[in-house]
Amino acid sequence: MQTLGGRGEGAAGSIRSQATLGRLARECTPQADGTVRVKVGAEVRVLLGPGGAPGRFDVPITFSIRHDEKTVMTRQQRMTVTVAPGEAQGFGSTIEDGLVVPAALVRDYEIMAGIGRAGAPKGPAKPKARRKAPAAAAQEGGESGAAQ
């Protein structure tokens, strides 16, 4: 299950919402030119966290066709899921029609669906690389730092 959380700064109690991808359905239709037309349906659930409030939530969804771990085609959508007053969760669904698998790849392909943008970083940003201290400065402290 893939999730996208809306979080404020601070402890877990500040989590406002979490979006999860639910049921998926697909329909693959061979075309006269040898390609395959793919139609994918996805259900999304938004669950309120301790810091959340009812309202409208914008959820980005990415649909992809992959072959040999390489993305052949990607489509992105934004859908709105509403959590009504007095409710703790809301549901929405969407359909992406018209993904096309090239004729050369119709024997072996994957259909992927996920919450978030294609190419978006996963997890926290990596810290920037630091410069290493010159060798002479590193040796001043005695041992080389293996047992610190």
Side-chain angles (χ1 to χ4, degrees), residues 4-18 48-53 57:
L4 176 72
R7 300 185 191 136
E9 298 296 321
S14 68
I15 294 175
R16 294 187 307 263
S17 65
Q18 179 180 22
L48 295 180
F57 296 84

Side-chain angles (χ1 to χ4, degrees), residues 38-114:
V38 178
K39 183 177 179 179
V40 182
E43 179 183 77
V44 173
R45 177 175 83 154
V46 172
L47 181 65
L48 295 180
R56 292 171 42 140
F57 296 84
D58 185 40
V59 181
I61 301 176
T62 300
F63 298 96
S64 301
I65 301 293
R66 293 175 46 103
H67 173 72
D68 285 340
E69 299 186 27
K70 294 180 184 173
T71 301
V72 176
M73 177 180 219
T74 298
R75 293 267 176 91
Q76 297 176 354
Q77 290 187 13
R78 297 190 87 68
M79 65 178 293
T80 300
V81 177
T82 301
V83 177
E87 298 292 326
Q89 63 185 347
F91 293 90
S93 61
T94 186
I95 295 174
E96 178 61 50
D97 192 5
L99 294 168
V100 177
V101 179
L105 309 178
V106 297
R107 292 189 175 267
D108 183 28
Y109 63 91
E110 295 177 299
I111 303 166
M112 309 291 287

